[in-house]
């Protein structure tokens, strides 16, 4: 849809744009001011005309609240504290505050969430493991509120900026460490299969076994949920097997702690009877006994990068190419891994 008189674009009134779009003038005003109560197709049609006629929505810093919205799909672990610390570091340096939200385990925030964010008009939104549906994205874009997904649960799409970590490489490094110690029967307790980071870590685990010429035994791979209870429950299943694994790679540190509890209950020693590798390198990994060998995921740095990116996006007038950044993981060897006991 293009205006018929390019030289007169700047003089078109809202009423004239409304007639060309086939809507009312109040509807055009709602779109121009970023109101939520406009159908997505209508919003798109009107915004194309507004851009063509040279109307620009105000993006002045003064029109925004001094806030960054930080949204978790669930907020209940030390993992979340590392992320909060990173966003707080950037917000504090920029003279901003952080608003925390939780989507109660859903990978997309609730229906009213976007309306509340639009009313707050923050400098930007950082979503952790979460995504947005089309209507939520349209509303934030209409209000010029940038957003970034950190550690996306699924494919965020080519037009959504995101910050992640090298999860596949982390899973590969963890399993390769166990293979190099001499382990040949290595179990895995993954996170939820619906999460991209979890699948990537297990794919790295598989790749390390295949590269070493070891079979991938499906019976040794258990799907967890990144919580302590899953590590305990699935750890018992693995350690009670007649031919139990001599080492287990867990998808995160919390599940590793659950596995520690399972081993203690069965009278098994770590690492003498079973070696354990986690993922994340939370502070508690250094405090448990024995200290946990784990893959360091730079959570605080990832959160800082997401917050810096969303603020940078808010400072540019025109949309830029979506950014996908992956920060490197690294293996941290402590006392929970050792060569398998000989017969």
């Amino acid at each position: 849809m293009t205006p018929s008189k390019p030289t007169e674009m700047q003089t078109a009134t809202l009423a004239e744009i409304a007639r060309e779009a086939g809507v009312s003038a109040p509807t055009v005003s709602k779109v121009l001011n970023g109101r939520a109560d406009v159908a997505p197709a209508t919003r798109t049609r009107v915004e194309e005309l507004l851009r063509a006629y040279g109307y620009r929505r105000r993006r002045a810093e003064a029109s925004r609240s001094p806030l960054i919205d930080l949204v978790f799909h669930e907020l209940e672990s030390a993992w979340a504290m590392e992320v909060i610390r990173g966003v707080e570091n950037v917000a504090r340096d920029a003279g901003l505050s952080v608003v925390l939200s939780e989507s109660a385990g859903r990978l997309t925030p609730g229906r009213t969430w976007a309306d509340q964010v639009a009313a707050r008009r923050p400098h930007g939104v950082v979503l952790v493991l979460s995504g947005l549906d089309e209507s939520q994205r349209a509303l934030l874009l209409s209000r010029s509120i940038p957003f970034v997904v950190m550690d996306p649960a699924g494919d965020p799409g080519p037009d959504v900026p995101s910050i992640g970590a090298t999860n596949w490489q982390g899973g590969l490094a963890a399993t390769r460490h166990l293979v190099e110690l001499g382990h040949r029967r290595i179990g895995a307790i993954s996170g939820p299969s619906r999460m991209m980071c979890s699948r990537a870590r297990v794919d790295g685990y598989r790749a390390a076994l295949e590269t070493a010429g070891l079979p991938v035994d499906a019976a040794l791979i258990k799907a967890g949920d990144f919580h302590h209870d899953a590590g305990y429950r699935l750890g018992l299943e693995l350690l009670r097997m007649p031919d139990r694994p001599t080492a287990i790679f867990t998808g995160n540190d919390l599940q590793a702690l659950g596995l520690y509890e399972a081993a203690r209950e069965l009278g098994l020693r770590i690492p003498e009877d079973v070696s354990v590798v986690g993922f994340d390198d939370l502070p508690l990994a250094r405090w448990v006994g024995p200290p946990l060998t784990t893959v360091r995921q730079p959570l605080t740095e990832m959160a800082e990068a997401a917050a810096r990116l969303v603020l940078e996006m808010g400072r540019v007038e025109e949309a830029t190419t979506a950014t996908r950044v992956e920060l490197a993981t690294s293996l941290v060897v402590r006392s929970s891994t050792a060569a398998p006991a000989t017969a």
Side-chain angles (χ1 to χ4, degrees), residues 15-281:
E16 290 168 337
I17 291 175
R19 281 196 299 272
E20 191 165 343
V23 298
S24 66
T27 297
V28 175
S29 180
K30 287 180 181 180
V31 173
L32 186 60
N33 289 289
R35 291 274 298 278
D37 50 341
V38 179
T42 300
R43 182 188 304 280
T44 298
R45 187 165 68 251
V46 172
E47 286 188 335
E48 286 177 356
L49 282 167
L50 289 170
R51 284 194 296 270
Y53 279 109
Y55 282 87
R56 288 182 179 271
R57 193 172 292 108
R58 292 181 303 165
R59 297 194 63 174
E61 294 291 318
S63 69
R64 301 181 183 143
S65 300
L67 304 170
I68 295 177
D69 264 70
L70 176 57
V71 186
F72 289 89
H73 83 296
E74 55 185 20
L75 184 60
E76 59 176 31
S77 73
W79 189 94
M81 294 304 299
E82 297 300 300
V83 175
I84 293 170
R85 180 177 293 110
V87 175
E88 282 277 7
N89 289 344
V90 174
R92 182 172 55 250
D93 290 345
L96 306 176
S97 299
V98 178
V99 175
L100 289 178
S101 304
E102 184 192 44
S103 57
R106 299 187 300 268
L107 296 184
T108 302
R111 182 175 302 176
T112 62
W113 170 83
D115 292 330
Q116 295 168 354
V117 172
R120 283 195 291 270
R121 294 190 64 84
H123 279 244
V125 178
V126 175
L127 300 114
V128 183
L129 288 175
S130 302
L132 299 175
D133 62 32
E134 287 302 318
S135 64
Q136 292 169 336
R137 289 174 59 182
L139 177 57
L140 295 189
L141 289 172
S142 74
R143 299 299 292 266
S144 299
I145 300 173
F147 55 88
V148 172
V149 179
M150 177 188 153
D151 205 12
D155 182 3
D159 58 342
V160 177
S162 62
I163 305 292
T166 54
N167 290 291
W168 183 89
Q169 184 63 42
L172 178 79
T175 311
R176 180 176 289 166
H177 169 65
L178 295 171
V179 171
E180 290 174 349
L181 286 173
H183 294 278
R184 296 294 177 264
R185 190 161 171 79
I186 302 171
I189 301 176
S190 74
S193 59
R194 61 178 176 160
M195 291 188 178
M196 188 166 61
C197 61
S198 173
R199 296 174 68 93
R201 293 169 196 177
V202 174
D203 286 345
Y205 156 87
R206 292 175 183 273
L209 294 179
E210 291 170 353
T211 301
L214 298 175
V216 178
D217 187 346
L220 294 180
I221 303 174
K222 304 293 184 179
D225 58 11
F226 285 151
H227 291 93
H228 174 278
D229 288 350
Y232 168 73
R233 174 174 50 83
L234 299 173
L236 286 177
E237 291 182 15
L238 288 170
L239 296 176
R240 283 172 172 163
M241 296 176 70
D243 186 13
R244 61 176 174 79
T246 60
I248 300 175
F249 166 51
T250 64
N252 70 339
D253 291 348
L254 293 180
Q255 289 186 147
L257 296 186
L259 177 58
Y260 270 45
E261 183 178 347
R264 284 195 300 270
E265 185 172 307
L266 296 177
L268 298 175
R269 299 165 299 164
I270 299 172
E272 291 84 356
D273 299 314
V274 60
S275 287
V276 179
V277 181
F279 201 109
D280 285 334
D281 194 26

